[in-house]
Amino acid sequence: MDAVRPDSFLVEVLDHHGRAQTRLRFPLVEGRGEATVGRGLAADVLIDDAHAAAVHVRIAVDDTGAVRLSDLGSLNGLVVGGKREHGATEALLTGEVFQIGRTRLRVRTASEKLPAEKPEGSARLELASASGRLALAGAGAFLLYGAYAAWVEAPRDVASSMVTHVAFSAGAAAIWITAWALLARMLTGEWRWLRQAALFFGVMVAIGVIENLLEIAAFAWSLPPWPSRELLLGVLGFGALLFGHLSIASHLAARHAVILAAVLPLLVGGTSLWVQSRSDARNVNHIGMDERIYPGALRLRAGKPLDTFFANAATLSQQAEARRKEVPADDDADEIDLLD
Amino acid sequence: MSFLRCFQIGLFTSWAGLAGAGAWAQLPPQAQSQSPPPGLAPEGVGLVVSEAARDLLSRVRPAVVQIKGFFGGNTSQAFHGTGFAVAPGGLFVTNYHVVAEQVTYPDKYRLEYRTPEGATGKIEVLAVDVRHDLAVVRTEGFAPLPLRLDARVPDKGSRAFSIGFPLDVGLTITEGVSNGRVEDSFDPRIHYSGAINGGMSGGPALNARGEVIGVNVSGYRFQQLVSFLVPAAHARQLLDRALAAPAPSQQLKRDAVAQLQAHAAALVGALVGEFPTQRVAGYVLPAKITPFVDCSASGDPAPQSPVQTVTIKCSAKAGLYVQQGLYTGDLSYAHYVLSTDKLDGWRFARKLSGYSSAKGAFGSRRHVGPFACEKSVVKLKGFDASLLVCARNYRRLEGLSDLTVRVISLNHGLQGFASHLDMYGVDYAAGLAFVRRFVEAMEWTP
C-alpha cells in the first residue's frame, strides 16, 4: 500500500498494450483531489485524441478513496466498466481504467492492490502448476494419438511410421504453440507457454476423442452418413482454440474474443463447406461414401432385410433424375440433342 | 471394374501414356494430330506381303476408300478410318465408330472419302448398327465395283487378309489367319490373327478368294496380332436395311439410341438364371456368372503384408462405343477378399475400410447426371454387410442409367470382403433386379 502516497493520486494515459505512456501525480487535500482530462490547454491531463473534448472529464477522488467521473459536456461521453455513458455526472469508477475518445486512462489511488514481487528467474516453466499438468497430460495424449494413428494402419514398418507420425505431430504442435506464445509476448509482455500448450493439447485431444467416438457410434448403430461431421468438429475445435488463445495472448475483451472465435471458423468452415458441397453436387463422378469399419463385435444393431433396402433403392432412379435436371451439362446450350 | 472402362476411353483419345497390356480396345478413328511420323510407325504394320496378298490388293484396291472426318470448316482431318464398296451406286460399309461423331453432331462434323488415287468427295450416312459397330454410307461421285460378302464364318486356320489405312501411312494389306468366332463373347466377333491398327477400322477382311468375311473393328493393344472382325453377315443385314429404307440423318440418331437401349436390355436379359459362385475365405461370392463374362483371380503366393488379399475381377466387355467418352451396356465387378493371421480385428477392420471407396466409372458431365445413393447395413445369407447402391442417369439416352454397388462384410473380425459392381448404361429397374440377385448370391459359410 505504499506505492502511492496517501496524499496524492495518479492519472496514467495508457497505450494499446495497457502500459502507461504518461503519468501525472495530483495532490490530495484532506483525502480529496481533482483533475481534468481533455484535448485543450485548460485540461490538467492533455491527450492527443481527436475524439475527446477540450475538457472532457473531471476525475474526483473523495476521502474514502472512491473515484468519480463527471462528463463535462462531451460529444462522445465516457466508457466506464465497458459501458458508454453520455452526459454522466458522478459515474463511479469501478476498477481503475476508463476510456474517453480512443484513449484509455487509469486512475491509481492509495486503495490499489499491487501483486507481490516476482522473484528473479520466475520465467522458468512451472510444470507442477495446474496448466503445467494439463499441458503435460495433453501433450502425452496428443502424441499417443499420433502413435495410434500410425499403428492402426498396420504399415510394413510400424516403428518408423510411428516415429514419423509422432515427430510430425510434435513439430506441428510446437509451431502452433510458439506462434501464439510469440503473440502473447508481443501483446502482453508474457510468453504464457504452459497455458497455450494446455489449451492446444486439450482441445486437440478432445476433438480427436469426440471424432473417434462419433465414428464408432456411427458404426455400432449403423447411423446414416454425416459427411460434414469432420468439418463441423474442425470448426468447433478451431473456434475453441481461437477463443482460448486470444484470451490468453491478448487483452481482447471476452465478448470480442467470442465474436472473433465464432465468426472466423464459421466463415472459413462455412465457405469451404459451401464450395465443397457445390463442387460435389456438380461432379457427376462424386459418390463420397467411404466407410470406416470396426470389428463386427462392436455392432449393436442388426442389418435390415434386403426387401426394405431394395424398396428404398427403387426410387433412386427418380432421385438421380431430379439431380440430373438440377445439374445442367456444361454444353447444354449448344449441345445437339441425340433425341431431337 | 471401373478402371478398365477408363482405359478403353483412354485408347480412343491418346496414344501416349498407356501402360499395361491386354486392354480390349476398339481401334480409334485415327486422330490426325496424334499420328506418329511415318518413320516411327509401330513395327510390323502391314509388312507381311506375300504373292497372294499382292494379287488380292490389286483386285480389291479400287473398292477401298479412306474415310475422313473434319470438324467444322477445317481442312485438316479430325479422325479417319476405312470403308469398302458393298453395293453398286457408291454404297460403302465402315465402322459405326468411324462416323459416330458425325451422326451425333451432324452440324459440327462432315465426312469425306479419299480413294487410293487421291480423288475426294462427300459421304452421307444411310444406316447404322451400333450393336455391331457398322454403318452404311454413300459416296458422292464414286461408285466402284462392290466387293462380295461371304456371310459364312471362316474355319479356324483359314488364311485371311485385312486392308485399310493404318496410322495414315497409305493403303496397307496385312496377312493373317482367321481363328473363327470368338468364344464367349457377348457380341459376335471373328478372331483374326493379323495386324489391325488404328485407321484400318471399317476396312474389309478377306478370304483368299477375295470375298469379304468381316469388317476390321478392334484389337488388343500391346498384344501381338490379336484382332477382331465383325462377321460379314451383319454387314449384309445392314446393307439390306439401308437399301430398303435409307434413314434421314435425324432418324440415324434415334436408331442409334434405340439400338443402345436394345443392347443394354439384351445384356441384362442375358444375366438371368442361377449364378455360379465360388468360396473364398469362408465367403460365397458370384463368380463367372455367364460365359461372356471374363474373370481373373489373383493373390499373393508368399504374402509379406500382414493381410492376404485375393482379388477376383470380372468384366463382360460388352460395352458399346457411342461417342468419345461414352460407353454403354457394360458390366464389371470385383471382389477383394481379405484375411489375416497377423493382425488384430481392430487393425484388420481398418485395412478392410481401405477398400470401401466406391468410385464407379468415370463419366463426363456432358453425358451423365450426378449420382444418387442408398446406403444401409443389410442382412445377407449368414452375415450382415454394408450395402451401397448409387445410380446416375444418362442425359440424352433416356432410360439408361449407370449403377455402382459396393458391398462390405461386417461379420467377422479377421476375414472380410469388399465387392464392387458397376453397370454402365442399363435400364435401372432391370439393373437393380440384377444387383439384388448379385447380393443374394453372397453367403457366409464358416
Side-chain angles (χ1 to χ4, degrees):
Chain A
M1 293 300 147
D2 53 4
V4 179
R5 290 197 303 268
D7 59 349
S8 66
F9 70 98
L10 285 179
V11 177
E12 295 174 345
V13 182
L14 305 180
D15 67 9
H16 290 298
H17 296 159
R19 286 175 292 226
Q21 267 179 328
T22 55
R23 196 176 266 139
L24 289 168
R25 188 181 295 276
F26 295 94
L28 289 173
V29 180
E30 294 177 1
R32 298 159 195 261
E34 277 186 9
T36 56
V37 186
R39 194 157 43 93
L41 283 176
D44 299 325
V45 180
L46 256 70
I47 54 173
D48 297 331
D49 187 330
H51 301 91
V55 183
H56 195 120
V57 67
R58 176 186 296 118
I59 303 167
V61 180
D62 67 15
D63 49 7
T64 65
V67 179
R68 287 189 165 74
L69 304 172
S70 313
D71 188 340
L72 300 177
S74 72
L75 179 68
N76 291 317
L78 314 172
V79 181
V80 183
K83 280 186 198 154
R84 187 173 291 274
E85 296 187 17
H86 285 279
T89 48
E90 302 285 293
L92 189 67
L93 179 62
T94 51
E96 295 182 321
V97 179
F98 70 99
Q99 184 175 333
I100 61 177
R102 301 280 165 89
T103 309
R104 289 195 299 159
L105 297 111
R106 177 160 57 205
V107 182
R108 298 175 65 178
T109 64
S111 57
E112 74 173 357
K113 290 191 175 62
L114 274 187
E117 182 185 358
K118 281 189 179 180
E120 283 286 356
S122 64
R124 90 193 140 80
L125 298 178
E126 288 164 12
L127 292 175
S129 67
S131 39
R133 282 198 299 270
L134 188 57
L136 279 181
F142 181 73
L143 296 181
L144 261 180
Y145 185 76
Y148 163 78
W151 170 84
V152 76
E153 298 294 337
R156 288 265 159 102
D157 184 353
V158 181
S160 73
S161 177
M162 276 162 89
V163 168
T164 313
H165 253 80
V166 169
F168 182 81
S169 310
I175 290 170
W176 178 267
I177 292 166
T178 305
W180 282 103
L182 206 60
L183 192 74
R185 178 72 179 81
M186 281 160 59
L187 296 185
T188 68
E190 289 177 48
W191 291 96
R192 300 178 177 172
W193 287 105
L194 288 177
R195 288 165 67 189
Q196 310 275 14
L199 173 75
F200 174 74
F201 290 126
V203 170
M204 293 306 277
V205 169
I207 293 289
V209 167
I210 293 171
E211 163 68 8
N212 276 274
L213 286 180
L214 284 179
E215 210 172 73
I216 292 170
F219 176 80
W221 283 286
S222 311
L223 302 178
W226 181 13
S228 51
R229 181 184 66 205
E230 277 182 28
L231 188 80
L232 200 68
L233 276 176
V235 166
L236 279 177
F238 184 36
L241 278 181
L242 207 56
F243 175 74
H245 282 308
L246 282 173
S247 308
I248 295 170
S250 74
H251 294 295
L252 211 59
R255 68 196 164 97
H256 291 157
V258 167
I259 291 170
L260 212 62
V263 167
L264 210 61
L266 280 179
L267 211 63
V268 174
T271 309
S272 69
L273 187 65
W274 182 79
V275 169
Q276 187 62 45
S277 67
R278 202 172 150 79
S279 95
D280 285 350
R282 293 177 62 77
N283 178 1
V284 298
N285 295 301
H286 174 76
I287 291 179
M289 291 274 185
D290 290 13
E291 189 146 329
R292 186 53 64 77
I293 318 269
Y294 287 92
L298 287 180
R299 295 192 51 239
L300 297 174
R301 183 191 278 181
K304 286 184 195 165
L306 271 185
D307 284 336
T308 316
F309 182 91
F310 280 95
N312 292 337
T315 63
L316 267 188
S317 185
Q318 281 116 15
Q319 293 172 38
E321 191 60 17
R323 298 203 61 199
R324 182 184 75 101
K325 286 179 179 145
E326 262 168 40
V327 179
D330 290 336
D331 55 354
D332 251 7
D334 71 353
E335 188 169 14
I336 296 141
D337 197 330
L338 259 173
L339 295 166
D340 61 2
Chain B
M1 211 21 222
S2 59
F3 94 96
L4 182 67
R5 189 169 181 239
C6 297
F7 200 75
Q8 288 177 327
I9 293 164
L11 286 166
F12 274 88
T13 53
S14 169
W15 283 95
L18 296 170
W24 166 291
Q26 282 162 301
L27 296 167
Q30 183 63 49
Q32 178 66 22
S33 58
Q34 294 153 352
S35 296
L40 296 179
E43 223 175 290
V45 174
L47 295 180
V48 194
V49 180
S50 67
E51 200 81 2
R54 192 169 356 179
D55 292 348
L56 199 65
L57 186 58
S58 62
R59 271 198 286 150
V60 169
R61 180 187 167 97
V64 180
V65 293
Q66 188 175 25
I67 294 177
K68 297 183 173 206
F70 300 88
F71 182 74
N74 287 297
T75 50
S76 301
Q77 67 200 23
F79 49 83
H80 65 92
T82 305
F84 60 95
V86 286
L91 292 188
F92 282 67
V93 159
T94 185
N95 283 143
Y96 172 71
H97 75 257
V98 171
V99 299
E101 295 289 332
Q102 202 273 335
V103 168
T104 315
Y105 300 109
D107 299 338
K108 304 233 167 145
Y109 290 95
R110 62 197 162 81
L111 294 172
E112 278 184 12
Y113 68 86
R114 187 176 194 278
T115 68
E117 281 67 42
T120 61
K122 283 187 186 166
I123 284 180
E124 183 195 357
V125 181
L126 299 184
V128 295
D129 179 351
V130 181
R131 167 105 192 241
H132 300 110
D133 198 357
L134 291 173
V136 170
V137 302
R138 186 181 3 236
T139 53
E140 221 169 72
F142 181 61
L145 271 181
L147 301 180
R148 272 196 46 180
L149 297 176
D150 182 359
R152 292 166 300 176
V153 172
D155 296 334
K156 270 189 197 244
S158 325
R159 177 173 284 197
F161 303 87
S162 172
I163 290 174
F165 294 85
L167 310 176
D168 217 11
V169 297
L171 185 63
T172 301
I173 183 164
T174 67
E175 187 171 357
V177 171
S178 159
N179 275 297
R181 261 186 92 123
V182 178
E183 288 164 17
D184 296 343
S185 166
F186 182 64
D187 290 308
R189 293 284 185 270
I190 294 170
H191 174 192
Y192 168 64
S193 301
I196 295 183
N197 283 285
M200 290 176 78
S201 281
L206 308 152
N207 60 23
R209 295 188 300 279
E211 295 160 335
V212 177
I213 55 166
V215 183
N216 304 335
V217 66
S218 60
Y220 278 104
R221 201 160 293 291
F222 310 116
Q223 299 292 327
Q224 300 294 314
L225 304 181
V226 180
S227 307
F228 300 96
L229 313 171
V230 177
H234 299 292
R236 171 91 259 160
Q237 285 162 10
L238 185 63
L239 175 64
D240 291 345
R241 214 169 79 207
L243 288 171
S249 72
Q250 292 307 317
Q251 182 63 36
L252 286 177
K253 282 189 275 184
R254 273 193 285 272
D255 286 353
V257 172
Q259 289 165 13
L260 291 171
Q261 287 162 337
H263 173 265
L267 174 75
V268 180
L271 301 172
V272 295
E274 276 293 298
F275 285 167
T277 52
Q278 59 182 323
R279 194 168 172 277
V280 189
Y283 294 98
V284 174
L285 299 169
K288 182 177 164 72
I289 55 176
T290 69
F292 64 81
V293 165
D294 263 7
C295 289
S296 67
S298 60
D300 188 351
Q304 294 181 323
S305 126
V307 172
Q308 286 98 59
T309 309
V310 175
T311 304
I312 300 156
K313 290 182 173 177
C314 299
S315 169
K317 294 190 300 194
L320 295 182
Y321 173 71
V322 184
Q323 65 190 76
Q324 190 132 5
L326 180 57
Y327 279 87
T328 70
D330 211 352
L331 161 84
S332 64
Y333 50 93
H335 308 297
Y336 303 90
V337 187
L338 276 61
S339 55
T340 186
D341 48 14
K342 298 198 177 82
L343 289 186
D344 49 279
W346 196 265
R347 285 185 292 168
F348 177 77
R350 189 59 68 101
K351 288 281 182 202
L352 191 56
S353 305
Y355 290 86
S356 74
S357 179
K359 292 264 192 309
F362 180 82
S364 136
R365 191 186 300 169
R366 190 176 147 200
H367 300 308
V368 292
F371 278 112
C373 296
E374 174 77 21
K375 192 184 106 165
S376 181
V377 175
V378 295
K379 199 180 284 298
L380 299 181
K381 279 182 202 151
F383 71 111
D384 278 4
S386 165
L387 175 58
L388 169 75
V389 175
C390 298
R392 68 180 172 198
N393 292 353
Y394 283 66
R395 289 191 188 277
R396 304 295 171 191
L397 305 174
E398 298 233 335
L400 296 189
S401 306
D402 281 349
L403 275 82
T404 289
V405 180
R406 183 205 63 200
V407 186
I408 307 176
S409 68
L410 301 177
N411 59 321
H412 199 271
L414 302 175
Q415 274 154 289
F417 75 92
S419 289
H420 296 261
L421 164 69
D422 294 305
M423 303 177 85
Y424 318 119
V426 296
D427 171 70
Y428 180 72
L432 193 65
F434 172 76
V435 171
R436 175 150 195 178
R437 297 200 306 121
F438 188 81
V439 296
E440 277 175 343
M442 295 172 169
E443 197 175 348
W444 167 245
T445 55

